């Protein structure tokens, strides 16, 4: 699973990609309130409705406004939902032994044959993992940019939206032909109503995927904790949340 959560995080934690020669997308300021969240909740799940036991919808994180805090919370949920969806699908792919037929590394090393997803991640070399995390770091950096053509999600930008890859003096110093979301622009002529409907479906699917991937991990590390998965997923005695098999940060202090 860690392979799914990390590798697939690269491809899916963001939104937006259009040919670099196209002009940047126009943005509209978004300032959502608790009332907006309550309305959205009814559309997402009419049965559960608005559920906020910690009263986060009225918080003001880090001394910012309530609208900025809601932007942060909305963006965080969408991002985590996307990663969870990739992780859930990736888990199933790895558990069924599906892999690319070519070599995984330049030295000719093939993809692991392990079908226990967390254990499979443990077999990936540290150098390969650092490449993965470096790309994740770049995507995180790029997603936090706030430009005249892309407002930050805490400053009136659209939660979940990922800035286009622009080239030139103010962007990436080499051409980037595609964007992360809809690289072939199939949704260019999609109506706003359909876009909103798909965004709501994405949030619901993301929530379900978060429950699903943690259900897998809980049953693997604590057999019997998820009865429906007993005998379906393989047990795992490692640390599913540790990106490396050794404690990189703790090693200099004698911590394993």
């Amino acid at each position: 699973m860690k392979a799914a959560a990390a590798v697939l995080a690269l491809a899916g934690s963001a939104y937006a990609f259009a040919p670099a020669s196209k002009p940047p997308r126009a943005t509209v300021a978004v300032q959502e309130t608790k009332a907006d969240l309550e309305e959205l909740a009814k559309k997402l799940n009419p049965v559960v409705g608005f559920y906020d036991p910690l009263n986060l919808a009225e918080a003001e994180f880090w001394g910012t406004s309530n609208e900025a805090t809601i932007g942060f919370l909305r963006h965080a949920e969408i991002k985590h939902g996307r990663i969870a969806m990739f992780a859930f699908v990736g888990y199933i792919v790895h558990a069924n032994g599906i892999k690319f037929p070519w070599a995984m590394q330049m030295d000719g090393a093939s993809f692991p044959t392990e079908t226990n997803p967390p254990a499979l991640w443990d077999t990936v070399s540290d150098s390969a993992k650092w490449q993965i995390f470096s790309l994740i770091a770049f995507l995180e950096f790029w997603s936090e940019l706030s430009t005249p053509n892309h407002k930050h999600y805490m400053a009136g930008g659209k939660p979940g939206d990922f800035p286009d890859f622009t080239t030139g003096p103010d962007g990436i110093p080499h051409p980037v032909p595609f964007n992360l979301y809809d690289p072939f622009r199939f949704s260019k002529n999609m109506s706003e109503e359909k876009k909103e409907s798909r965004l709501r479906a994405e949030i619901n699917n993301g929530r379900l995927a978060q429950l699903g991937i943690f259900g897998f991990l809980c049953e693997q590390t604590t057999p019997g904790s998820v009865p429906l998965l007993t005998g379906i997923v393989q047990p795992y005695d490692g640390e599913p949340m540790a990106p490396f098999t050794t404690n990189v940060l703790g090693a200099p202090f004698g911590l394993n």
Side-chain angles (χ1 to χ4, degrees):
M1 181 304 265
K2 287 184 287 188
V7 178
L8 295 171
L10 315 180
S13 70
Y15 250 55
F17 262 101
S21 59
K22 300 285 184 179
R25 296 167 300 166
T27 58
V28 178
V30 177
Q31 295 288 349
E32 293 180 305
T33 64
K34 182 178 179 180
D36 294 318
L37 297 184
E38 292 173 343
E39 181 180 354
L40 175 63
K42 293 177 182 178
K43 295 178 180 179
L44 291 172
N45 191 324
V47 177
V48 177
F50 183 69
Y51 182 69
D52 183 21
L54 298 179
N55 207 28
L56 295 178
E58 296 182 6
E60 296 182 351
F61 292 173
W62 310 295
T64 61
S65 67
N66 177 245
E67 289 81 3
T69 299
I70 289 176
F72 170 83
L73 294 172
R74 290 266 285 118
H75 186 82
E77 180 186 28
I78 293 171
K79 178 188 288 188
H80 283 80
R82 289 171 181 166
I83 301 306
M85 286 188 280
F86 276 102
F88 186 86
V89 174
Y91 185 104
I92 295 173
V93 168
H94 293 313
N96 284 277
I98 301 173
K99 58 181 181 178
F100 293 117
W102 52 79
M104 181 180 71
Q105 298 184 177
M106 296 296 291
D107 61 5
S110 61
F111 285 89
T113 57
E114 176 66 62
T115 56
N116 186 331
L120 183 151
W121 173 254
D122 291 338
T123 66
V124 176
S125 68
D126 284 355
S127 58
K129 292 177 180 178
W130 279 116
Q131 292 179 54
I132 292 170
F133 293 129
S134 295
L135 180 53
I136 291 175
F138 166 74
L139 292 176
E140 282 294 297
F141 162 77
W142 195 264
S143 71
E144 293 294 322
L145 291 179
S146 182
T147 68
N149 295 308
H150 182 272
K151 290 183 177 295
H152 192 271
Y153 51 84
M154 292 182 69
K158 186 177 181 181
D161 192 33
F162 191 88
D164 289 343
F165 286 134
T166 56
T167 60
D170 298 324
I172 300 174
H174 59 78
V176 181
F178 302 108
N179 275 319
L180 207 54
Y181 169 70
D182 192 22
F184 302 108
R185 300 182 64 79
F186 291 138
S187 64
K188 180 174 62 174
N189 298 320
M190 188 184 299
S191 67
E192 289 301 317
E193 292 76 12
K194 190 162 189 176
K195 288 180 180 179
E196 289 299 323
S197 175
R198 290 194 173 189
L199 286 172
R200 291 195 297 270
E202 179 188 36
I203 294 173
N204 278 331
N205 291 335
R207 290 175 177 177
L208 186 59
Q210 290 176 74
L211 294 173
I213 192 61
F214 271 94
F216 284 150
L217 294 179
C218 288
E219 178 60 30
Q220 284 196 278
T221 56
T222 310
S225 60
V226 186
L228 290 177
L229 295 176
T230 299
I232 297 178
V233 298
Q234 303 177 55
Y236 175 68
D237 59 2
E239 175 47 68
M241 295 301 165
F244 298 97
T245 53
T246 57
N247 189 339
V248 176
L249 297 178
F253 305 99
L255 302 176
N256 296 321

